[in-house]
Amino acid sequence: MPTKESLIPIHLDLDLDGHRYKDAFTWNPHDPDSQVLSFAKRTVKDLKLPPTFVTQISQSIQHQLAEFRSFGGQDMFIQEKIVPLKLDLRVNNTVVRDTFLWDISNFESDPEGFAVTLCNDLDVADPEVAPAIAVAIREQLYEIATQSVSAVKEAKLGKKGRRGYELSKGGNNALDVSRYFGSKGSGVIRKRKDWYMNGPTVDVLTNEEVGTLEELNSRFRRKLDEKEDSFQQG
Amino acid sequence: MADPSPQPPPSASTQLPLQPLQQLAALTELETPSVAPSVAETETSGPTATATPELISAPSPAVSYTIIVPSFSAWFSWDEIHDTERRLLPEFFDGKSTSRNPSSYKYLRNAIISKFRSQPTSKLSYTEARRGLVADVGSVRKVFDFLEEWGLINYTPPKKGKEETEARGALGKKDESSGKRICTSCGAVCSLQCFTTAKANMTLCAKCFVKSNYQRPGLSSADFKRVDLLEEPRPDWTDKETLHLLEAILHYGEDWKKVAEYVASRPVKDCIARFVKLPFGEQFIGPKEEHNGYTEQGGGDADENESIKRRRLSPLADASNPIMAQVAFLSAIVGPHVAETAAQAAVSALSNLGANEATDLTEPCVSETNEELDEKLYSTPCCSVNGCGSDLSNCRDYHRRHKVCEAHSKASIVLVGGQEQRFCQQCSRFHLLSEFDGVKRSCRNRLDLLNFRRRRPQSEAVNTSLSSASHQDSAVGEPVVSAELEIEEEEQELEKSFSDIIEVQMKEMQEKLVRFEEMDVIMARERLQVQYLRDLILPDQLAIAQHQHRLAMMARENVSTWEKLRSTNDVIDRGTTLLL
């Protein structure tokens, strides 16, 4: 993880016995694994979910932790790379959309601090938005990290056996900074047409809009599931 | 919130094993403005002393409510980090991890505490706390646990000492008002029904629920549970109110609206419920007559109750016993007083009959039984079973009275008087074996009686009187003996039911054992399967390893051939240069 402290973003989306539990948070990998079970028990107790959730939650968390750890200890080839990160999330009534550039090679970068500052500056009323933003940022960083690790692996197993690192196209989401910003001398100012995209937008939805969004989401998900099923059968 | 400055010597009274420092100081008085007189009883005897909380008033602007912090956490302040915290949460202060540093600790701690204090009456759960915090859940958990242990959140003082009651008085009022279910969205007091959801700790009144006015759109209507509040505000009925109620009923009969008006403070349903539950019949402990049940209820209160009670009596009429049905029907028609007198007359006639018939028999019987009773109680009897002359002076009264030792009272067949008999536990005598069904320990007649009696508890009195009238053994004129018999029967029933319960539990355990064994078998099977799979994979792994090895060999060969070529090239080059 290209941050000083790697906190693992964990996603949980479980649907059992009619109880839906959706959560996203960060986990400190230095915490012993015994914490996973106690965390699961505590959550189930606090939210009064049926006890079958305990095993599901702990399994899911451990799975994601194991995935993360499998990448550990491997070289992440990080050039000086500036990567665009996107935020597009909805937490209760607040929708946040943002695009910004992030410097991966700078290990001092702090997603949590960014999230808190963003929420404070934009006067976001809901306190649950900030952790969601932090988790989203970490997820994207994690994606990038895994991609670069796999790119390094590919390069090592490359047929030529040469020592040159060639980043495959898929892993290259670094941007040529000069091309990104205006050409010729406008230097650090963006092209005008890109202005609208890069600022943060925060919308507060009313409850009905949220309701319709959820409906659409669930319908979409159902269609996806159906397609998957038919695909598997076919 | 105004917090007092940290008290210099924190009290050592603590239940926590974590505090190594022995700062013994008796905090007898606080200089802070406290709502109640400060607690003078602070035990400082050591780690086993219980914590006595003291009041630190911290009124928040919206609600005048005292936040109570235990004395062993008096060091707490918003702006500083105390030594205790440094010691107990070292991972935040040792600089080993970047996400855990003093500022993040402070942020977490203050956020959690303010979250709790915004709703001091409800317990802050860990999940609720971590929701709004930007940090990894492990850190949140550590801080949360620490704060909870030290009573800085989720702390309610224990109920002891008069000084506490004052504080709790303030607390209690708040509790009551919050216990009265105020809707979280519209703020109205919910009277009829409310809908709660545990997920967000919200309570909505019926209107808001229907409007779907949920605070958080993550909730759906399925998350809410309905709570009916009709029974909840039910303070006890005072005597005065009961008196009013009865007077009102007397006046207005069944017009419940008027009755409710008369009884000022109660809604209609409460009135009816209370009235129906009023105890009757304690004044009427007459002899057990046929219509005892009815007369007790009928005569216990004003006459206007009759009509209502009559309706409740109709189940009596639904008796499978046709005689009982007739009796109930007649008594319902005729009215309580007539029925009472009729019943009394009938019973006295019966007893006279019985007495007349059995005068010859009963008198000596009575005297005999008395003698026997005396004998059995005061002499040292022996068991009456043939061949068993065991001394019964060590057994219970029961066994002595009926001249049977414990073993034989429970035996299935014994020889008494040359006949195969069994000791009936209900009649407390020996009966012929033919009187018993199967291995039961009570004779058929008695069992039937019992079952019959059990099925109809309100006509219990009737049945016993009827049966006793029909049983020529114990005539109506011997209430004492029958009472004793009944006591013994009850005892037996109790013992039987105990043994039944134990049997059932044993069966449960056995079934559990069986199931666990099955599970063991399944587990062993699965283990074998997994091993088998592992064995299957082994050759594949070997093949891959070999392949790689071969590749490596080939690569080495390539390199060596390349080297050779290079060297031959060199040789050739050198040769050509020499030639040239």
Side-chain angles (χ1 to χ4, degrees), chain A residues 4-5 7 21 23 25-28 31 35 39 42-43 46-48 92-93 112 116 127-128 130-131 134 207 210, chain B residues 97-100 107 125-127 130-138 141-142 144-145 148 198-199 214 216-217:
Chain A
K4 236 194 294 187
E5 172 95 16
L7 298 179
Y21 170 61
D23 208 349
F25 50 85
T26 43
W27 185 271
N28 191 326
D31 280 344
Q35 301 286 346
F39 171 79
R42 225 168 165 169
T43 311
D46 287 340
L47 296 176
K48 299 188 177 67
N92 297 341
N93 278 28
E112 276 76 29
V116 171
E128 300 186 23
N207 289 353
V210 171
Chain B
S97 92
T98 42
S99 70
R100 297 197 174 156
Y107 158 70
S125 74
Y126 163 69
T127 309
R130 74 161 166 89
R131 269 193 201 285
L133 297 177
V134 189
D136 67 285
V137 293
R141 192 195 58 83
K142 288 208 166 84
F144 184 85
D145 283 342
E148 191 164 20
K199 287 193 185 175
Y214 315 137
R216 311 206 294 127

Short mmCIF file of all heavy atoms in Angstrom, two decimals, chain A residues 4-5 7 21 23 25-28 31 35 39 42-43 46-48 92-93 112 116 127-128 130-131 134 207 210, chain B residues 97-100 107 125-127 130-138 141-142 144-145 148 198-199 214 216-217:
data_model
loop_
_atom_site.label_atom_id
_atom_site.label_comp_id
_atom_site.label_asym_id
_atom_site.label_seq_id
_atom_site.Cartn_x
_atom_site.Cartn_y
_atom_site.Cartn_z
N LYS A 4 2.05 5.15 4.40
CA LYS A 4 2.95 4.74 5.46
C LYS A 4 2.35 3.56 6.22
O LYS A 4 2.99 2.60 6.56
CB LYS A 4 3.16 5.91 6.43
CG LYS A 4 4.63 6.23 6.56
CD LYS A 4 4.89 7.11 7.72
CE LYS A 4 4.29 8.47 7.53
NZ LYS A 4 4.70 9.38 8.62
N GLU A 5 1.08 3.72 6.49
CA GLU A 5 0.43 2.69 7.28
C GLU A 5 -0.63 2.06 6.40
O GLU A 5 -1.50 2.75 5.90
CB GLU A 5 -0.25 3.33 8.47
CG GLU A 5 -1.12 2.39 9.25
CD GLU A 5 -0.39 1.80 10.41
OE1 GLU A 5 0.66 2.35 10.75
OE2 GLU A 5 -0.86 0.81 10.95
N LEU A 7 -3.80 0.43 5.93
CA LEU A 7 -5.05 -0.01 6.54
C LEU A 7 -5.86 -0.66 5.44
O LEU A 7 -6.03 -0.10 4.37
CB LEU A 7 -5.81 1.18 7.12
CG LEU A 7 -5.09 1.92 8.23
CD1 LEU A 7 -5.94 3.07 8.69
CD2 LEU A 7 -4.80 0.98 9.39
N TYR A 21 -26.84 -6.70 5.70
CA TYR A 21 -25.80 -5.99 6.42
C TYR A 21 -24.77 -5.53 5.42
O TYR A 21 -24.10 -6.33 4.76
CB TYR A 21 -25.17 -6.91 7.46
CG TYR A 21 -23.94 -6.35 8.09
CD1 TYR A 21 -23.99 -5.17 8.82
CD2 TYR A 21 -22.72 -6.97 7.94
CE1 TYR A 21 -22.87 -4.65 9.39
CE2 TYR A 21 -21.59 -6.45 8.51
CZ TYR A 21 -21.67 -5.28 9.24
OH TYR A 21 -20.55 -4.77 9.81
N ASP A 23 -21.51 -2.93 4.94
CA ASP A 23 -20.60 -2.11 5.73
C ASP A 23 -19.27 -1.99 5.01
O ASP A 23 -18.88 -2.87 4.24
CB ASP A 23 -20.39 -2.75 7.11
CG ASP A 23 -20.06 -1.72 8.14
OD1 ASP A 23 -19.78 -0.56 7.76
OD2 ASP A 23 -20.04 -2.06 9.33
N PHE A 25 -15.27 -0.54 6.07
CA PHE A 25 -14.43 0.08 7.08
C PHE A 25 -13.00 -0.33 6.82
O PHE A 25 -12.70 -1.13 5.94
CB PHE A 25 -14.87 -0.34 8.49
CG PHE A 25 -15.02 -1.81 8.66
CD1 PHE A 25 -13.93 -2.62 8.96
CD2 PHE A 25 -16.25 -2.42 8.50
CE1 PHE A 25 -14.06 -3.98 9.11
CE2 PHE A 25 -16.39 -3.78 8.65
CZ PHE A 25 -15.30 -4.56 8.95
N THR A 26 -12.12 0.27 7.60
CA THR A 26 -10.71 -0.05 7.43
C THR A 26 -10.24 -0.90 8.59
O THR A 26 -10.66 -0.72 9.73
CB THR A 26 -9.86 1.23 7.38
OG1 THR A 26 -10.34 2.12 8.40
CG2 THR A 26 -9.98 1.89 6.05
N TRP A 27 -9.33 -1.79 8.28
CA TRP A 27 -8.84 -2.71 9.29
C TRP A 27 -7.33 -2.59 9.36
O TRP A 27 -6.65 -2.52 8.35
CB TRP A 27 -9.23 -4.13 8.89
CG TRP A 27 -8.87 -5.14 9.92
CD1 TRP A 27 -7.70 -5.82 10.04
CD2 TRP A 27 -9.69 -5.58 10.99
NE1 TRP A 27 -7.75 -6.66 11.10
CE2 TRP A 27 -8.95 -6.54 11.71
CE3 TRP A 27 -10.97 -5.25 11.42
CZ2 TRP A 27 -9.46 -7.17 12.83
CZ3 TRP A 27 -11.47 -5.89 12.53
CH2 TRP A 27 -10.72 -6.83 13.21
N ASN A 28 -6.83 -2.58 10.56
CA ASN A 28 -5.40 -2.47 10.73
C ASN A 28 -4.79 -3.87 10.67
O ASN A 28 -5.12 -4.72 11.48
CB ASN A 28 -5.12 -1.84 12.10
CG ASN A 28 -3.68 -1.46 12.25
OD1 ASN A 28 -2.79 -2.12 11.74
ND2 ASN A 28 -3.44 -0.38 12.98
N ASP A 31 -3.40 -5.77 13.75
CA ASP A 31 -4.23 -6.33 14.81
C ASP A 31 -4.24 -7.85 14.67
O ASP A 31 -4.34 -8.36 13.57
CB ASP A 31 -5.67 -5.82 14.65
CG ASP A 31 -5.82 -4.44 15.21
OD1 ASP A 31 -4.93 -4.00 15.96
OD2 ASP A 31 -6.81 -3.79 14.89
N GLN A 35 -8.95 -10.71 16.80
CA GLN A 35 -9.87 -9.58 16.86
C GLN A 35 -11.03 -9.74 15.91
O GLN A 35 -12.08 -9.16 16.10
CB GLN A 35 -9.11 -8.30 16.48
CG GLN A 35 -7.95 -7.99 17.37
CD GLN A 35 -8.41 -7.50 18.69
OE1 GLN A 35 -9.57 -7.15 18.85
NE2 GLN A 35 -7.51 -7.47 19.65
N PHE A 39 -14.72 -8.86 16.86
CA PHE A 39 -15.37 -7.76 16.16
C PHE A 39 -16.69 -8.22 15.56
O PHE A 39 -17.71 -7.53 15.66
CB PHE A 39 -14.45 -7.24 15.06
CG PHE A 39 -15.11 -6.27 14.15
CD1 PHE A 39 -15.26 -4.95 14.54
CD2 PHE A 39 -15.59 -6.65 12.92
CE1 PHE A 39 -15.88 -4.05 13.71
CE2 PHE A 39 -16.20 -5.75 12.08
CZ PHE A 39 -16.35 -4.45 12.48
N ARG A 42 -19.30 -8.63 18.22
CA ARG A 42 -19.77 -7.37 18.76
C ARG A 42 -20.73 -6.69 17.81
O ARG A 42 -21.75 -6.13 18.19
CB ARG A 42 -18.56 -6.49 18.96
CG ARG A 42 -18.63 -5.83 20.26
CD ARG A 42 -17.37 -5.21 20.60
NE ARG A 42 -17.65 -4.33 21.68
CZ ARG A 42 -16.73 -3.76 22.38
NH1 ARG A 42 -15.50 -4.01 22.10
NH2 ARG A 42 -17.04 -2.96 23.37
N THR A 43 -20.36 -6.72 16.52
CA THR A 43 -21.23 -6.09 15.54
C THR A 43 -22.59 -6.75 15.51
O THR A 43 -23.62 -6.07 15.47
CB THR A 43 -20.57 -6.19 14.15
OG1 THR A 43 -19.22 -5.75 14.25
CG2 THR A 43 -21.30 -5.33 13.15
N ASP A 46 -24.51 -5.71 18.53
CA ASP A 46 -24.97 -4.33 18.53
C ASP A 46 -26.10 -4.11 17.54
O ASP A 46 -27.00 -3.32 17.78
CB ASP A 46 -23.81 -3.39 18.17
CG ASP A 46 -22.83 -3.27 19.31
OD1 ASP A 46 -23.22 -3.58 20.45
OD2 ASP A 46 -21.69 -2.87 19.06
N LEU A 47 -26.01 -4.78 16.42
CA LEU A 47 -27.04 -4.56 15.41
C LEU A 47 -28.16 -5.57 15.51
O LEU A 47 -29.08 -5.55 14.71
CB LEU A 47 -26.43 -4.66 14.02
CG LEU A 47 -25.40 -3.59 13.69
CD1 LEU A 47 -24.80 -3.84 12.33
CD2 LEU A 47 -26.07 -2.23 13.69
N LYS A 48 -28.07 -6.46 16.48
CA LYS A 48 -29.12 -7.44 16.72
C LYS A 48 -29.41 -8.27 15.48
O LYS A 48 -30.55 -8.48 15.10
CB LYS A 48 -30.41 -6.77 17.21
CG LYS A 48 -30.17 -6.04 18.50
CD LYS A 48 -31.46 -5.55 19.07
CE LYS A 48 -31.30 -4.86 20.39
NZ LYS A 48 -30.60 -3.61 20.44
N ASN A 92 -26.09 7.31 3.23
CA ASN A 92 -27.38 7.80 3.70
C ASN A 92 -27.92 8.84 2.74
O ASN A 92 -28.29 8.54 1.63
CB ASN A 92 -27.26 8.36 5.11
CG ASN A 92 -26.87 7.28 6.06
OD1 ASN A 92 -27.03 6.11 5.75
ND2 ASN A 92 -26.33 7.63 7.20
N ASN A 93 -27.94 10.08 3.14
CA ASN A 93 -28.55 11.06 2.23
C ASN A 93 -27.57 11.86 1.40
O ASN A 93 -27.97 12.69 0.61
CB ASN A 93 -29.38 12.06 3.05
CG ASN A 93 -30.72 11.49 3.36
OD1 ASN A 93 -30.85 10.29 3.44
ND2 ASN A 93 -31.71 12.33 3.52
N GLU A 112 -7.14 9.24 5.54
CA GLU A 112 -8.06 9.63 6.61
C GLU A 112 -8.09 11.14 6.78
O GLU A 112 -9.14 11.76 6.88
CB GLU A 112 -7.65 8.99 7.93
CG GLU A 112 -8.15 7.57 8.11
CD GLU A 112 -7.36 6.59 7.29
OE1 GLU A 112 -6.19 6.88 7.05
OE2 GLU A 112 -7.93 5.57 6.89
N VAL A 116 -11.33 13.66 6.35
CA VAL A 116 -11.83 14.56 7.39
C VAL A 116 -11.84 16.00 6.91
O VAL A 116 -12.80 16.75 7.10
CB VAL A 116 -10.98 14.40 8.67
CG1 VAL A 116 -11.34 15.45 9.67
CG2 VAL A 116 -11.19 13.03 9.27
N PRO A 127 -21.87 12.56 9.76
CA PRO A 127 -20.52 12.14 10.13
C PRO A 127 -20.10 10.84 9.51
O PRO A 127 -18.93 10.49 9.56
CB PRO A 127 -20.62 12.01 11.66
CG PRO A 127 -22.04 11.74 11.91
CD PRO A 127 -22.81 12.48 10.88
N GLU A 128 -21.03 10.11 8.93
CA GLU A 128 -20.64 8.81 8.40
C GLU A 128 -20.02 8.91 7.02
O GLU A 128 -19.58 7.91 6.46
CB GLU A 128 -21.85 7.89 8.34
CG GLU A 128 -22.46 7.70 9.69
CD GLU A 128 -23.57 6.69 9.64
OE1 GLU A 128 -23.57 5.87 8.71
OE2 GLU A 128 -24.43 6.73 10.51
N ALA A 130 -17.36 10.72 6.16
CA ALA A 130 -15.89 10.76 6.18
C ALA A 130 -15.27 9.36 6.16
O ALA A 130 -14.39 9.09 5.34
CB ALA A 130 -15.42 11.55 7.41
N PRO A 131 -15.69 8.45 7.02
CA PRO A 131 -15.07 7.13 6.94
C PRO A 131 -15.29 6.47 5.59
O PRO A 131 -14.41 5.78 5.07
CB PRO A 131 -15.76 6.32 8.04
CG PRO A 131 -16.58 7.23 8.79
CD PRO A 131 -16.64 8.53 8.12
N ALA A 134 -12.74 7.75 3.24
CA ALA A 134 -11.42 7.17 3.51
C ALA A 134 -11.33 5.75 2.97
O ALA A 134 -10.34 5.37 2.35
CB ALA A 134 -11.15 7.19 5.02
N ASN A 207 -35.33 11.72 1.14
CA ASN A 207 -35.51 10.29 1.39
C ASN A 207 -36.14 9.58 0.22
O ASN A 207 -35.86 8.41 -0.03
CB ASN A 207 -36.38 10.08 2.63
CG ASN A 207 -35.64 10.45 3.88
OD1 ASN A 207 -34.46 10.74 3.82
ND2 ASN A 207 -36.32 10.45 5.01
N VAL A 210 -33.55 8.77 -2.32
CA VAL A 210 -32.76 7.64 -1.85
C VAL A 210 -33.53 6.35 -2.06
O VAL A 210 -32.98 5.34 -2.50
CB VAL A 210 -32.42 7.82 -0.37
CG1 VAL A 210 -31.80 6.58 0.18
CG2 VAL A 210 -31.49 8.99 -0.21
N SER B 97 3.40 3.07 15.04
CA SER B 97 2.53 3.06 13.86
C SER B 97 2.07 4.47 13.59
O SER B 97 1.88 5.26 14.51
CB SER B 97 1.35 2.13 14.10
OG SER B 97 0.28 2.84 14.61
N THR B 98 1.91 4.74 12.35
CA THR B 98 1.62 6.12 12.00
C THR B 98 0.15 6.48 12.19
O THR B 98 -0.17 7.62 12.47
CB THR B 98 1.96 6.37 10.53
OG1 THR B 98 1.50 5.22 9.79
CG2 THR B 98 3.43 6.55 10.36
N SER B 99 -0.72 5.50 12.02
CA SER B 99 -2.12 5.87 12.15
C SER B 99 -2.50 6.00 13.61
O SER B 99 -3.54 6.55 13.94
CB SER B 99 -3.01 4.85 11.47
OG SER B 99 -2.98 3.66 12.19
N ARG B 100 -1.66 5.47 14.48
CA ARG B 100 -1.99 5.57 15.90
C ARG B 100 -1.02 6.54 16.55
O ARG B 100 0.10 6.20 16.86
CB ARG B 100 -1.87 4.20 16.55
CG ARG B 100 -2.86 3.25 15.95
CD ARG B 100 -3.06 2.05 16.78
NE ARG B 100 -4.13 1.26 16.19
CZ ARG B 100 -4.27 -0.03 16.38
NH1 ARG B 100 -3.40 -0.66 17.12
NH2 ARG B 100 -5.27 -0.66 15.83
N TYR B 107 -8.61 12.60 19.06
CA TYR B 107 -9.76 12.75 18.20
C TYR B 107 -10.79 11.66 18.47
O TYR B 107 -11.98 11.91 18.66
CB TYR B 107 -9.29 12.75 16.75
CG TYR B 107 -10.32 12.37 15.74
CD1 TYR B 107 -11.38 13.20 15.43
CD2 TYR B 107 -10.25 11.15 15.06
CE1 TYR B 107 -12.33 12.84 14.50
CE2 TYR B 107 -11.19 10.79 14.13
CZ TYR B 107 -12.22 11.64 13.85
OH TYR B 107 -13.16 11.28 12.93
N SER B 125 -23.33 1.89 21.65
CA SER B 125 -22.73 0.62 21.25
C SER B 125 -21.49 0.89 20.42
O SER B 125 -21.34 1.96 19.82
CB SER B 125 -23.74 -0.19 20.45
OG SER B 125 -23.86 0.37 19.17
N TYR B 126 -20.64 -0.10 20.36
CA TYR B 126 -19.38 0.05 19.64
C TYR B 126 -19.63 0.35 18.17
O TYR B 126 -18.97 1.19 17.56
CB TYR B 126 -18.57 -1.24 19.81
CG TYR B 126 -17.47 -1.41 18.83
CD1 TYR B 126 -16.35 -0.60 18.87
CD2 TYR B 126 -17.55 -2.39 17.86
CE1 TYR B 126 -15.34 -0.77 17.97
CE2 TYR B 126 -16.53 -2.55 16.95
CZ TYR B 126 -15.43 -1.74 17.01
OH TYR B 126 -14.43 -1.90 16.12
N THR B 127 -20.61 -0.34 17.60
CA THR B 127 -20.87 -0.14 16.17
C THR B 127 -21.36 1.27 15.90
O THR B 127 -20.93 1.92 14.94
CB THR B 127 -21.93 -1.14 15.71
OG1 THR B 127 -21.54 -2.44 16.12
CG2 THR B 127 -22.07 -1.11 14.22
N ARG B 130 -18.35 3.59 16.02
CA ARG B 130 -17.34 3.61 14.96
C ARG B 130 -17.88 4.13 13.64
O ARG B 130 -17.13 4.37 12.71
CB ARG B 130 -16.77 2.20 14.75
CG ARG B 130 -17.68 1.25 14.06
CD ARG B 130 -16.86 0.08 13.51
NE ARG B 130 -17.74 -1.00 13.14
CZ ARG B 130 -18.29 -1.14 11.95
NH1 ARG B 130 -18.05 -0.26 11.01
NH2 ARG B 130 -19.08 -2.16 11.69
N ARG B 131 -19.19 4.33 13.62
CA ARG B 131 -19.77 4.74 12.34
C ARG B 131 -19.26 6.06 11.85
O ARG B 131 -18.94 6.24 10.69
CB ARG B 131 -21.29 4.83 12.48
CG ARG B 131 -21.96 3.55 12.14
CD ARG B 131 -23.43 3.76 11.99
NE ARG B 131 -24.14 2.52 12.15
CZ ARG B 131 -24.18 1.56 11.24
NH1 ARG B 131 -23.54 1.71 10.14
NH2 ARG B 131 -24.85 0.45 11.47
N GLY B 132 -19.19 7.01 12.73
CA GLY B 132 -18.85 8.33 12.22
C GLY B 132 -17.38 8.66 12.33
O GLY B 132 -16.97 9.80 12.11
N LEU B 133 -16.57 7.67 12.65
CA LEU B 133 -15.18 7.98 12.92
C LEU B 133 -14.30 7.51 11.79
O LEU B 133 -14.45 6.40 11.28
CB LEU B 133 -14.74 7.28 14.21
CG LEU B 133 -15.49 7.76 15.44
CD1 LEU B 133 -15.05 6.99 16.64
CD2 LEU B 133 -15.22 9.23 15.65
N VAL B 134 -13.38 8.36 11.42
CA VAL B 134 -12.46 8.02 10.35
C VAL B 134 -11.24 7.39 10.98
O VAL B 134 -10.31 8.06 11.38
CB VAL B 134 -12.06 9.28 9.58
CG1 VAL B 134 -11.28 8.90 8.36
CG2 VAL B 134 -13.27 10.08 9.21
N ALA B 135 -11.26 6.12 11.09
CA ALA B 135 -10.10 5.43 11.66
C ALA B 135 -10.33 3.95 11.43
O ALA B 135 -11.44 3.53 11.12
CB ALA B 135 -9.97 5.72 13.15
N ASP B 136 -9.27 3.18 11.63
CA ASP B 136 -9.50 1.75 11.45
C ASP B 136 -10.21 1.22 12.69
O ASP B 136 -10.07 1.73 13.80
CB ASP B 136 -8.18 1.00 11.23
CG ASP B 136 -7.31 1.03 12.45
OD1 ASP B 136 -6.73 2.09 12.71
OD2 ASP B 136 -7.26 0.01 13.16
N VAL B 137 -10.98 0.18 12.46
CA VAL B 137 -11.91 -0.25 13.51
C VAL B 137 -11.17 -0.81 14.72
O VAL B 137 -11.69 -0.81 15.83
CB VAL B 137 -12.89 -1.32 12.95
CG1 VAL B 137 -13.80 -0.68 11.94
CG2 VAL B 137 -12.13 -2.44 12.33
N GLY B 138 -9.94 -1.26 14.49
CA GLY B 138 -9.18 -1.76 15.65
C GLY B 138 -8.89 -0.65 16.64
O GLY B 138 -9.05 -0.81 17.85
N ARG B 141 -11.93 0.35 18.46
CA ARG B 141 -12.32 -0.62 19.48
C ARG B 141 -11.48 -0.46 20.72
O ARG B 141 -11.98 -0.52 21.84
CB ARG B 141 -12.14 -2.04 18.90
CG ARG B 141 -12.77 -3.11 19.73
CD ARG B 141 -12.25 -4.45 19.30
NE ARG B 141 -10.81 -4.49 19.43
CZ ARG B 141 -10.18 -4.74 20.55
NH1 ARG B 141 -10.85 -4.99 21.64
NH2 ARG B 141 -8.88 -4.75 20.57
N LYS B 142 -10.18 -0.22 20.55
CA LYS B 142 -9.32 -0.09 21.73
C LYS B 142 -9.75 1.11 22.57
O LYS B 142 -9.89 1.01 23.79
CB LYS B 142 -7.87 0.10 21.29
CG LYS B 142 -7.26 -1.15 20.73
CD LYS B 142 -5.76 -1.16 20.95
CE LYS B 142 -5.17 -2.52 20.71
NZ LYS B 142 -4.88 -2.82 19.34
N PHE B 144 -12.60 2.65 22.57
CA PHE B 144 -13.94 2.44 23.09
C PHE B 144 -13.91 1.56 24.34
O PHE B 144 -14.53 1.86 25.36
CB PHE B 144 -14.80 1.80 22.00
CG PHE B 144 -16.22 1.61 22.38
CD1 PHE B 144 -17.13 2.63 22.22
CD2 PHE B 144 -16.66 0.41 22.90
CE1 PHE B 144 -18.46 2.45 22.56
CE2 PHE B 144 -17.98 0.23 23.25
CZ PHE B 144 -18.87 1.25 23.08
N ASP B 145 -13.15 0.46 24.23
CA ASP B 145 -13.08 -0.44 25.39
C ASP B 145 -12.49 0.27 26.58
O ASP B 145 -12.96 0.13 27.71
CB ASP B 145 -12.22 -1.66 25.04
CG ASP B 145 -12.98 -2.64 24.18
OD1 ASP B 145 -14.22 -2.54 24.15
OD2 ASP B 145 -12.34 -3.49 23.55
N GLU B 148 -15.02 2.67 28.06
CA GLU B 148 -16.12 2.00 28.74
C GLU B 148 -15.67 1.43 30.06
O GLU B 148 -16.39 1.48 31.06
CB GLU B 148 -16.66 0.87 27.85
CG GLU B 148 -17.96 0.32 28.36
CD GLU B 148 -18.66 -0.48 27.30
OE1 GLU B 148 -17.98 -0.91 26.36
OE2 GLU B 148 -19.87 -0.66 27.43
N ALA B 198 -34.09 -1.34 16.05
CA ALA B 198 -32.87 -1.42 16.86
C ALA B 198 -31.68 -0.91 16.07
O ALA B 198 -30.69 -0.49 16.63
CB ALA B 198 -32.65 -2.88 17.27
N LYS B 199 -31.78 -0.94 14.74
CA LYS B 199 -30.59 -0.64 13.94
C LYS B 199 -30.16 0.80 14.13
O LYS B 199 -28.99 1.11 14.10
CB LYS B 199 -30.91 -0.87 12.47
CG LYS B 199 -31.00 -2.33 12.14
CD LYS B 199 -31.01 -2.54 10.66
CE LYS B 199 -31.21 -4.03 10.40
NZ LYS B 199 -31.35 -4.30 9.02
N TYR B 214 -38.49 8.29 7.96
CA TYR B 214 -37.35 7.77 8.68
C TYR B 214 -36.22 8.76 8.60
O TYR B 214 -36.00 9.41 7.60
CB TYR B 214 -36.88 6.45 8.08
CG TYR B 214 -37.99 5.49 7.78
CD1 TYR B 214 -37.99 4.78 6.60
CD2 TYR B 214 -39.02 5.29 8.67
CE1 TYR B 214 -38.99 3.90 6.32
CE2 TYR B 214 -40.02 4.42 8.39
CZ TYR B 214 -40.01 3.72 7.21
OH TYR B 214 -40.98 2.85 6.93
N ARG B 216 -33.04 8.02 8.64
CA ARG B 216 -32.00 7.55 7.77
C ARG B 216 -32.61 6.68 6.71
O ARG B 216 -33.31 5.74 7.00
CB ARG B 216 -30.98 6.73 8.57
CG ARG B 216 -30.54 7.46 9.79
CD ARG B 216 -29.17 7.04 10.26
NE ARG B 216 -29.10 5.68 10.70
CZ ARG B 216 -28.22 4.81 10.22
NH1 ARG B 216 -27.39 5.17 9.29
NH2 ARG B 216 -28.16 3.58 10.66
N PRO B 217 -32.32 7.00 5.47
CA PRO B 217 -32.97 6.24 4.40
C PRO B 217 -32.45 4.82 4.28
O PRO B 217 -32.92 4.05 3.50
CB PRO B 217 -32.61 7.04 3.15
CG PRO B 217 -31.36 7.73 3.51
CD PRO B 217 -31.43 8.04 4.95
#
